[in-house]
Amino acid sequence: MKVLITATLLLVTFNCFSQLKTTANFKVHNRSLTIVNERGVSVMNLSEADNDGVAWLTGAKFTNGNIELDIKGKDLLQHSFVGVAFHGVNDFTFDCIYFRPFNFKAADPVRKVHAVQYISLPKYDWELLRTKFPAKYERGLATPPDPNGWFHARINVNGKKITVFVNGESTPSLGVEQIVPANGSMIGFWVGNTSGGDFKNLKISK
């Protein structure tokens, strides 16, 4: 049984640890955030709703380095978009790496290559990027995880270069160059239209 608790999330910023203790440590846009305990691990849950939603980590800043976390969506077609927003200027202007778990093990080869996506909002959403640059900003996963289970993601940002690794694999699942310069430093959990999602074990390092 999930019990609402005061959670502790370890955030590594500039190689120093600080603790986030309550939902007050997040600025949430277009979602509600619940912190629960599952087998002794604190899990951040964003609710389902129309349009995109994000939970920004208040006081955290990120421009370059590594973002690592565990993510869980679900195998429900077009209703599970889960990831991380970074370089945030506000609730509508940021870079984002996100996953479509319902495509992880899709039998349709077209859907299967739409597993991990980079976008740069507000201008460069997935639809524009897919139309103008097919297969450049989204890829399939070589070893797809359980679409209903937890998977680990590491996002490395080094200047304009953004590289995504899934479940500890040494070969990147996605490698892209940032489309527009990073003007912001906000970072947070992101979910897409009609989606909710679970997040845990977030670590940020420079």
Side-chain angles (χ1 to χ4, degrees):
M1 176 175 154
K2 296 181 179 179
V3 181
L4 184 64
I5 64 165
T6 297
T8 299
L9 178 66
L10 294 180
L11 172 65
V12 186
T13 308
F14 307 115
N15 295 321
C16 296
F17 283 93
S18 62
Q19 293 183 341
L20 299 176
K21 296 182 178 180
T22 70
T23 54
N25 295 111
F26 296 87
K27 177 181 176 291
V28 183
H29 168 69
N30 194 38
R31 288 297 187 277
S32 58
L33 173 67
T34 304
I35 303 176
V36 301
N37 182 286
E38 292 185 351
R39 299 190 179 100
V41 177
S42 297
V43 176
M44 318 299 150
N45 173 265
L46 284 175
S47 62
E48 297 178 358
D50 291 339
N51 302 312
D52 298 351
V54 62
W56 300 108
L57 283 67
T58 56
K61 294 183 178 181
F62 176 84
T63 52
N64 286 281
N66 285 294
I67 306 165
E68 293 193 60
L69 75 165
D70 297 321
I71 304 173
K72 185 170 69 172
K74 58 184 178 181
D75 192 8
L76 183 59
L77 183 62
Q78 303 299 344
H79 293 285
S80 187
F81 309 94
V82 287
V84 179
F86 53 98
H87 295 154
V89 176
N90 52 46
D91 293 336
F92 306 98
T93 305
F94 51 85
D95 286 333
C96 181
I97 292 291
Y98 72 90
F99 300 85
R100 303 180 180 97
F102 55 84
N103 284 338
F104 284 177
K105 296 187 177 183
D108 181 352
V110 175
R111 281 181 49 201
K112 199 167 185 177
V113 298
H114 299 159
V116 55
Q117 172 87 51
Y118 165 79
I119 54 175
S120 186
L121 298 180
K123 184 176 179 180
Y124 296 95
D125 62 13
W126 69 270
E127 191 170 18
L128 183 148
L129 294 177
R130 186 178 294 177
T131 300
K132 291 194 172 183
F133 310 99
K136 183 174 182 179
Y137 293 102
E138 59 183 337
R139 294 288 173 85
L141 301 179
T143 308
D146 175 1
N148 291 303
W150 289 101
F151 63 94
H152 185 77
R154 178 167 69 87
I155 302 164
N156 176 262
V157 181
N158 184 5
K160 293 183 178 181
K161 187 176 180 181
I162 301 172
T163 313
V164 183
F165 300 85
V166 175
N167 282 347
E169 292 192 348
S170 58
T171 302
S173 298
L174 180 68
V176 299
E177 284 199 358
Q178 187 181 39
I179 298 175
V180 296
N183 293 319
S185 58
M186 295 164 62
I187 181 169
F189 306 130
W190 179 93
V191 289
N193 184 38
T194 72
S195 301
D198 294 316
F199 307 86
K200 65 181 180 180
N201 297 328
L202 175 67
K203 292 182 179 180
I204 303 169
S205 60
K206 186 174 180 180

